[in-house]
Amino acid sequence: MLKEKNMDFDYPVKSAYSLTVEALENTLSTDRDKGISNAEALKRSKQLGFNSYKSQKQKSLWRMALEQFNSPIVYLLFLAAFASLYFENTIEAITIFIVILVNALIGFFMELQARSSMLALKEMDVSYSKVIRGGKTIEIPSEHLVPGDLLLLEAGDMVSGDGRIIFSNGLQADESSLTGESFPISKTNETLTRKIESAHALNMVYKGTAVINGNAKVIITGIAEETALGKISEMVGSTVSKKTPLDIKINRLTKKLIWITLGMTALFAVSGSIEHQPWLQILKTSIALAVAAFPEGLPIVATVALAYGMLLMAKKNSIVKKLSSVETLGAVNVILTDKTGTLTENKIYVEVLSFPEEELHVSIKKGTLDFKGAKIEKSKKNLALLIRIGSLCNNAPLDPSTKDKKASGDPIEIALLLLADAAGFPAKMTASEFSRISEIPFSSETKMMGTLHKGADDFFIAAKGAVGKLLAKCNSIQLGDAITDLDENLRKKILENAEQLSASGLRVLAFAYANSTEKPEDDYLQKLTYVGMVGFLDPPRSDIKDAISVCRSAGIKIVMITGDHPMTALNIAKRVGITAENDNQVIKGSELPEKELLKADWIKRILSTTVFARTTPKQKLEIVEVYQKAGFIVAMTGDGVNDAPALKMADVGIAMGLRGTQVAKETASIVLKDDSFSSISQAVEHGREIFQNIQRFVIYLVSCNLSEIFIVTLLGFLAPASMLFPLQILFLNMVTDVFPALALGLGKGDQTVMQRPPRNPKLDIISNRNWFVIIIYALMMTGSIVLAIFLCRVYVSDDVIVINNVAFITLAFSQLFHVFNMSSVHSGMIKNEVTKNKFVWISILLCFLLIMGVYAFPKSRMALNFIYMPFQAWLIAGLASTLPLFCVQLFKLFRRKRLISVR
């Protein structure tokens, strides 16, 4: 954003953290006490626009509808329809147009439903900000905030613009959505001279973050795109969306089918010319071949299968915004996940109680303090004192168990209150016994907080803070019931212990106290008695380890990419099973080169690392790119603004629905309603099952169509007058093919799908081995039709229409029975995933009824060139159609026995 000529202030402000308050006042033409006037604010708002980032533009309904027709399959169907119109085959053309329309409507309405789900998740409340304008405190909509405004912040507020702090009273901010840092950041109003990384200045607040403690006065230095959040949003806009693997594979399959169609048509045309067949006959046969070669039902079946998967995933707390993303999840072989809130609870709990004579690992289960099998022996007095100090030297609400999401407070202080309640010493009771007289607030300089209280008989001083800083104020130490001098050896031991706890990824605070019979002086944080330390942690979610274990057994690599501290990241990674206990490799963002990330040595190092810490949004984006260029199908999870660019770049972006920022949710292709990593593993399982179903029905459809090609070609040479008509073939493709294929697409997949590695993403839907199997299936069905025609000529009639009808019925029935050949070779002959699929039985019954219905009505019978056939012809067609099923099942039976004998 360039400065306009009529602007009487400098904007945007560069390195506002390094400017003094006076310099900032001059730069933005504002006043630290009065702010700017309402008139000036209105003027600036007109010059710079509203304080809102550019939300990703939603596709119009027209564009969404038109995109349903944008695929090679649909192009080919349009070509077939117009060709039918040209040759005055109106019924064929109308049928194909209906297929195209139904497919488009299904895709359109499923994506529309996903959009509606996203709108339901979007926060509809308008946020407000408290500012001083013209010396008066007023409340304005946050989007009306302008540079130079004097913003007032207090605990519970969302920061609505980037700003320089000019006054701070114990201000702490939760910046996890922007930086990934799980612990609150203590702020200052001092001018910073050294160069600071973007969104990390301690004397600045940033749009989209939350105030959890204290209060402050801030001069707004950036709005909209000129905020740290806005710059990340711009990065999201510049990231190019990619085609999904399924789109690419279906397009490749379509091209192969087109070439097969053209090849067979050309072969027949050349052969017919050599044999001097009439050109009209050659043309009709070529059209029949073109119709036979292409599975017109494929787009509908694929769309319905994906839509069904989309609905199933919605029931399992996953909103899928694009149909093809359902299948892409099944191809994922690496998940790049954020830490804070995704793997962890995004809540701070007490993890370790470290006393001078013993150290205890603790947890809170069902409101009770659990020492994890250990017993507290020597430090009962220390524990009681630490709990009292933690309850009194605390500004959090005294009811930490509240479920009100808007409740504010330092998460560390809330954790201390939860500890007190779990230990049986409720903070409310302690506070009622010791009334607070004064407070020395925490500051970035002292790194301590102290409170003075009046007890029944004396005064009690409670203090907590950084270990080194607080120890400097202590001259004695609590050892059980006794108090002794704090000598240098004990100090050294405590500091070494604190370093060990910090190295394991814990946030460590020390606790001390003092008693006095008389009211102390103002500087009462002197001659304190050291009690112990507490190690805090944002712990892993309870179900996360099992979910990650499932993913790893499925051959999916899990990589943590976070903005948090390296040791904290490594600690969590080891706990949840992302990395081994003896693996301490972490790459920090500061170690990653700016321009050499895609060089061979760095690619190798990145691909062998499972934990990345202190990463920037740009680095997350580059790590995604490294994995994609190495051939991986990448899923990226995240909730913060800092995750959005990588979410868009990934093959599947997964955002958190409950606590995710709007930027992340708009960018992702899948949104989790419960924010649970377990939902991701379930979604991957669904994706794999859906791909199995897609592969199964594609093999079914293509083998059916190939059998039609073979029989049309064969009859074209041997009995042109009895050849199947294009409309008959289209009826087969849209009835006897589509409904069983749909049933296969809606079936339950292999239950062991998550016990095998992901499929090779470079392989097509139909592999070379699959093509071989398809040809065998097609030849068997063709052979059954040839047998039926031969038997019909010998025992029934050699009439061309009767032979045509026998060929049609045999082909139709053999294709219906062929659906049972789609079961796995590992499953039983009678009980398998196909025979257990109720949709298969419904589809077969429906197809039989439709075929009988066509025969029953004169007009439909006439349109498809059907006649009443003698019973013998029906019997021949019925028996011959079971031959492929019998042969395939016999082969599978011998194959199963061979597999069992090998085992």
Side-chain angles (χ1 to χ4, degrees), residues 200-266:
H200 284 80
L202 295 181
N203 63 355
M204 297 282 293
V205 289
Y206 298 99
K207 182 178 171 69
T209 62
V211 178
I212 60 171
N213 218 352
N215 54 72
K217 188 187 291 185
V218 173
I219 294 178
I220 293 298
T221 58
I223 61 169
E225 279 75 30
E226 291 301 329
T227 61
L229 184 150
K231 286 179 172 60
I232 295 173
S233 299
E234 285 181 355
M235 199 186 299
V236 174
S238 64
T239 306
V240 180
S241 297
K242 298 174 58 183
K243 278 190 174 182
T244 66
L246 182 63
D247 293 331
I248 295 168
K249 287 171 184 175
I250 285 185
N251 288 348
R252 282 206 296 257
L253 174 63
T254 305
K255 288 172 184 176
K256 282 183 180 179
L257 293 173
I258 289 171
W259 282 111
I260 290 172
T261 304
L262 293 174
M264 297 297 291
T265 305

Side-chain angles (χ1 to χ4, degrees), residues 590-869:
S590 58
E591 297 173 10
L592 294 172
E594 290 187 14
K595 298 180 180 178
E596 301 176 355
L597 205 60
L598 295 177
K599 286 191 175 181
D601 55 338
W602 266 106
I603 289 175
K604 185 177 179 181
R605 188 177 170 191
I606 286 170
L607 294 178
S608 63
T609 302
T610 53
V611 181
F612 296 84
R614 294 295 193 210
T615 51
T616 65
K618 185 173 181 291
Q619 288 168 338
K620 289 185 179 184
L621 192 69
E622 289 171 341
I623 292 169
V624 170
E625 191 178 2
V626 166
Y627 270 95
Q628 287 177 330
K629 290 196 172 180
F632 287 85
I633 302 298
V634 180
M636 173 77 194
T637 76
D639 62 334
V641 179
N642 57 331
D643 299 317
L647 286 172
K648 187 172 182 182
M649 171 64 80
D651 298 288
V652 183
I654 305 170
M656 305 298 131
L658 293 177
R659 57 182 168 71
T661 59
Q662 199 57 45
V663 179
K665 286 186 279 188
E666 286 180 3
T667 305
S669 47
I670 294 175
V671 179
L672 302 182
K673 291 190 284 186
D674 62 351
D675 289 10
S676 173
F677 192 93
S678 297
S679 295
I680 299 174
S681 63
Q682 289 176 356
V684 170
E685 184 174 0
H686 275 306
R688 289 192 178 187
E689 289 176 356
I690 287 163
F691 181 81
Q692 275 191 342
N693 290 343
I694 289 173
Q695 190 176 46
R696 193 173 280 143
F697 71 62
V698 166
I699 290 172
Y700 172 77
L701 285 173
V702 174
S703 57
C704 289
N705 281 77
L706 199 59
S707 68
E708 292 166 10
I709 292 173
F710 289 163
I711 199 63
V712 167
T713 305
L714 203 62
L715 291 176
F717 283 121
L718 303 178
S722 299
M723 191 188 70
L724 296 177
F725 297 100
L727 191 57
Q728 289 177 328
I729 296 170
L730 193 61
F731 178 84
L732 287 173
N733 288 353
M734 296 311 303
V735 178
T736 59
D737 288 0
V738 166
F739 289 114
L742 271 174
L744 290 173
L746 302 181
K748 288 184 178 179
D750 186 351
Q751 299 302 305
T752 64
V753 72
M754 290 298 279
Q755 296 172 17
R756 296 191 298 273
R759 64 185 181 275
N760 187 342
K762 295 179 182 178
L763 293 179
D764 288 335
I765 291 178
I766 301 178
S767 65
N768 291 335
R769 183 179 177 280
N770 293 144
W771 277 112
F772 176 75
V773 172
I774 285 168
I775 291 169
I776 297 298
Y777 285 155
L779 287 173
M780 284 183 176
M781 285 186 277
T782 304
S784 69
I785 296 162
V786 171
L787 178 64
I789 291 172
F790 173 76
L791 293 174
C792 181
R793 279 184 165 177
V794 172
Y795 295 108
V796 182
S797 170
D798 60 355
D799 181 80
V800 292
I801 299 298
V802 173
I803 291 171
N804 169 279
N805 282 203
V806 167
F808 175 85
I809 292 298
T810 307
L811 181 59
F813 285 1
S814 66
Q815 288 182 350
L816 287 178
F817 295 140
H818 179 48
V819 73
F820 294 108
N821 290 331
M822 295 299 104
S823 62
S824 168
V825 71
H826 302 286
S827 56
M829 182 183 293
I830 306 300
K831 288 186 178 182
N832 54 59
E833 62 270 28
V834 177
T835 56
K836 289 179 181 178
N837 185 347
K838 64 179 180 181
F839 297 112
V840 166
W841 296 102
I842 293 170
S843 68
I844 289 175
L845 178 61
L846 179 62
C847 288
F848 272 119
L849 291 175
L850 285 171
I851 292 170
M852 296 301 107
V854 166
Y855 267 91
F857 293 99
K859 286 188 178 180
S860 59
R861 192 169 62 243
M862 188 181 300
L864 290 169
N865 293 90
F866 292 156
I867 61 169
Y868 283 115
M869 294 193 305

Side-chain angles (χ1 to χ4, degrees), residues 84-96:
S84 299
L85 283 175
Y86 181 78
F87 290 107
E88 298 182 352
N89 295 322
T90 311
I91 297 175
E92 285 178 32
I94 291 172
T95 305
I96 295 173

Side-chain angles (χ1 to χ4, degrees), residues 164-368:
R164 167 75 157 82
I165 302 168
I166 61 172
F167 167 79
S168 172
N169 176 29
L171 185 71
Q172 289 184 309
D174 177 5
E175 297 182 348
S176 59
S177 66
L178 195 62
T179 65
E181 172 66 60
S182 55
F183 288 96
I185 306 299
S186 297
K187 295 292 183 176
T188 181
N189 59 352
E190 290 188 355
T191 303
L192 304 177
T193 53
R194 62 185 178 88
K195 188 175 180 181
I196 304 293
E197 191 180 340
S198 175
H200 284 80
L202 295 181
N203 63 355
M204 297 282 293
V205 289
Y206 298 99
K207 182 178 171 69
T209 62
V211 178
I212 60 171
N213 218 352
N215 54 72
K217 188 187 291 185
V218 173
I219 294 178
I220 293 298
T221 58
I223 61 169
E225 279 75 30
E226 291 301 329
T227 61
L229 184 150
K231 286 179 172 60
I232 295 173
S233 299
E234 285 181 355
M235 199 186 299
V236 174
S238 64
T239 306
V240 180
S241 297
K242 298 174 58 183
K243 278 190 174 182
T244 66
L246 182 63
D247 293 331
I248 295 168
K249 287 171 184 175
I250 285 185
N251 288 348
R252 282 206 296 257
L253 174 63
T254 305
K255 288 172 184 176
K256 282 183 180 179
L257 293 173
I258 289 171
W259 282 111
I260 290 172
T261 304
L262 293 174
M264 297 297 291
T265 305
L267 178 66
F268 185 83
V270 170
S271 301
S273 300
I274 293 170
E275 294 179 3
H276 303 290
Q277 289 187 11
W279 273 104
L280 185 61
Q281 183 63 43
I282 292 173
L283 194 60
K284 285 182 177 179
T285 306
S286 297
I287 293 171
L289 275 170
V291 174
F294 193 78
E296 287 83 358
L298 178 59
I300 284 183
V301 176
T303 303
V304 169
L306 291 172
Y308 182 67
M310 194 173 176
L311 292 172
L312 284 178
M313 288 172 68
K315 290 179 181 178
K316 296 289 181 69
N317 297 314
S318 301
I319 297 174
V320 182
K321 292 163 64 180
K322 188 177 181 183
L323 279 177
S324 51
S325 296
V326 175
E327 184 277 336
T328 308
L329 260 176
V332 162
N333 45 22
V334 62
I335 298 175
L336 309 181
T337 178
D338 184 30
K339 178 188 73 69
T340 308
T342 307
L343 301 177
T344 65
E345 295 187 16
N346 201 25
K347 294 177 182 177
I348 305 299
Y349 290 97
V350 173
E351 181 75 11
V352 174
L353 296 174
S354 179
F355 301 117
E357 295 179 288
E358 58 188 324
E359 186 172 286
L360 300 162
H361 289 261
V362 300
S363 63
I364 297 173
K365 293 182 178 179
K366 297 180 180 180
T368 304

